[in-house]
Amino acid sequence: MKHITVSLKNKSYPIYIASRGWSQLAQAIGGKIRGKKVMIVCDENIYPLYYNSVKSVLISMGYQVCSAVIPPGEASKSFEQAQKLYTQALEARLDRSSSIIALGGGVVGDLAGFIAATYMRGIGFIQIPTSLLAQVDSSVGGKVAINHPLAKNIIGAFYQPDLVFIDPGTLISLPSREFATGLAELIKHAFIADPDFISWLEENMDAIIARDVEILSHAIYRSCQIKAGVVELDERETGLRMILNYGHTIGHAIEAATGYSEYTHGEAVAMGMVYEAGIAEKMGLIKQDYINRLADILERAGLPTQLDTPAWDLIIERMNHDKKNVDQRIVLVLPIGYGKVKIFKELTPEQLKQFLE
Ligand SMILES: NC(=O)c1ccc[n+]([C@@H]2O[C@H](COP(=O)([O-])OP(=O)(O)OC[C@H]3O[C@@H](n4cnc5c(N)ncnc54)[C@H](O)[C@@H]3O)[C@@H](O)[C@H]2O)c1
Ligand SMILES: [Zn+2]
């Protein structure tokens, strides 16, 4: 079983990538779950698929297990849902020595992590991510959050898990569009950090799309390594961690300008990376060849690379609200070569508009 250690100042923990699935869970857990009482949080889609497998392993190891099942979807990252989970944790008599397991996609991970971080000022927390996005992105790095009606992910904490267990076999049941959305972040990791990984993805994209578990295990392993490496250098996002936002300044603006309903996050980020690469090309930072390779690999992954009818005014208006901006200059992460990006803080909305149109 492959594993990565995330080494942070106050805590180190392992990420296991188990290509043989749940049979490796007991070995991964070892003595790493705090206490004897565990609450597994999952959504209604995941419960019938994977809850019993995880529960049986824990029971066989002597843990007392209870479940909390939430409705699937972003709307569950709410104060109301958080309140329900606190109630369930109290009713199940979880105490300071108990643990919460997030079994599911990024919604479950962010919400359950937020509960684990705040219930009794913090209890044990294990991530078992089941969506590709959660396996390569949201379960790594310790950001946990719920949404406020006025802003996404605005109520949260940095709370690192005790352990992350990834079974790439769970991706077999993930709907294609959700799978592609995770691939956008995985491809992003290659383009910000590792030219060899870009070539490897080009060679193996067909096997990835066919969800070959061994190939997926390697792709997830390398992707997590890259994200973990960035997080280790900048746990609290004071600088370097911002490079993980490649494709996200324009991607977020596309999501907002289209009412969060037309594109998934990964689809918006895919287009965002292509447009941001276009800006970098106009600035002379990269050559057209970079954009062609990026667009080609995204298309093979089932992702869009451009908007049909881009409403640039609306999108730039949204970029003006980005929380990374300083002094009305838009902060952008731009490629400067394969596997290399740089943070630019000087661009004005007018310049951007020129580049994009
Ligand atoms: N904490 C972070 O650093 C971070 C980073 C990126 C995204 N996020 C958050 O992650 C969330 C998005 O995560 P997501 O894309 O995983 O969404 P999600 O959790 O809503 O999962 C997507 C859908 O796939 C289903 N699903 C998940 N795994 C499945 C499986 N193996 N088989 C069948 N169905 C499965 C879920 O039930 C859901 O319907 C957002 O709330 C976002 O803010 C957090
Ligand atoms: Zn993202």
Side-chain angles (χ1 to χ4, degrees), residues 137 185 248 265 269:
D137 191 0
E185 303 285 0
H248 281 62
H265 174 68
V269 168

Side-chain angles (χ1 to χ4, degrees), residues 16-312:
Y16 291 98
I17 296 121
S19 56
R20 284 190 283 115
W22 304 124
S23 64
Q24 295 175 301
L25 182 58
Q27 182 198 342
I29 289 173
K32 293 179 212 76
I33 292 189
R34 300 185 211 171
K36 274 286 155 215
K37 235 178 225 172
V38 179
M39 182 164 97
I40 301 176
V41 181
C42 61
D43 74 22
E44 287 156 5
N45 296 333
I46 298 303
Y47 184 83
L49 290 169
Y50 304 117
Y51 174 75
N52 279 330
S53 308
V54 175
K55 182 184 169 184
S56 346
V57 171
L58 293 169
I59 300 267
S60 73
M61 296 179 79
Y63 291 101
Q64 289 171 41
V65 182
C66 66
S67 66
V69 185
I70 64 165
E74 187 67 26
S76 283
K77 278 171 61 175
S78 65
F79 284 100
E80 294 74 17
Q81 194 58 57
Q83 162 94 7
K84 284 187 189 156
L85 290 184
Y86 292 130
T87 306
Q88 280 175 283
L90 283 164
E91 284 171 355
R93 297 177 185 275
L94 297 196
D95 59 27
R96 281 214 181 95
S97 68
S98 306
S99 291
I100 286 182
I101 295 186
L103 172 67
V107 164
V108 165
D110 279 15
L111 172 67
F114 180 75
I115 304 301
T118 47
Y119 181 77
M120 296 191 169
R121 299 192 184 83
I123 63 172
F125 178 42
I126 315 287
Q127 289 261 29
I128 306 185
T130 62
S131 71
L132 184 58
L133 183 127
Q135 294 181 349
V136 301
D137 191 0
S138 62
S139 71
V140 182
K143 282 194 194 176
V144 298
I146 57 172
N147 300 325
H148 185 279
L150 296 180
K152 281 189 68 172
N153 293 324
I154 213 77
I155 315 294
F158 285 97
Y159 197 65
Q160 304 293 342
D162 302 318
L163 153 85
V164 182
F165 181 86
I166 299 175
D167 172 2
T170 58
L171 299 176
I172 305 290
S173 57
L174 189 68
S176 303
R177 206 169 168 197
E178 299 297 343
F179 186 71
T181 212
L183 277 180
E185 303 285 0
L186 194 151
I187 293 167
K188 177 197 75 181
H189 288 153
F191 276 83
I192 62 174
D194 185 355
D196 292 340
F197 190 36
I198 299 175
S199 309
W200 185 90
L201 286 173
E202 287 172 332
E203 279 160 34
N204 292 284
M205 189 49 79
D206 294 340
I208 289 176
I209 295 299
R211 308 201 196 177
D212 177 304
V213 170
E214 286 303 330
I215 294 290
L216 278 172
S217 296
H218 178 76
I220 294 165
Y221 173 74
R222 185 65 197 119
S223 187
C224 285
Q225 243 181 356
I226 293 170
K227 179 158 183 191
V230 173
V231 169
E232 281 175 350
L233 294 172
D234 179 19
E235 186 182 351
R236 296 198 162 235
E237 200 166 27
T238 52
L240 177 78
R241 191 162 173 172
M242 224 187 266
I243 69 171
L244 296 169
N245 282 311
Y246 178 37
H248 281 62
T249 305
I250 295 183
H252 281 148
I254 291 174
E255 283 186 281
T258 52
Y260 294 95
S261 57
E262 219 167 311
Y263 301 103
T264 65
H265 174 68
E267 288 166 353
V269 168
M271 292 185 279
M273 284 193 281
V274 175
Y275 287 124
E276 289 176 11
I279 294 172
E281 195 270 330
K282 293 212 169 79
M283 288 169 68
L285 303 169
I286 52 159
K287 301 257 161 49
Q288 182 64 36
D289 175 63
Y290 178 106
I291 305 178
N292 298 346
R293 271 179 84 186
L294 172 65
D296 183 56
I297 199 167
L298 292 170
E299 268 167 28
R300 288 177 65 199
L303 290 157
T305 55
Q306 56 180 5
L307 292 157
D308 294 333
T309 43
W312 289 124

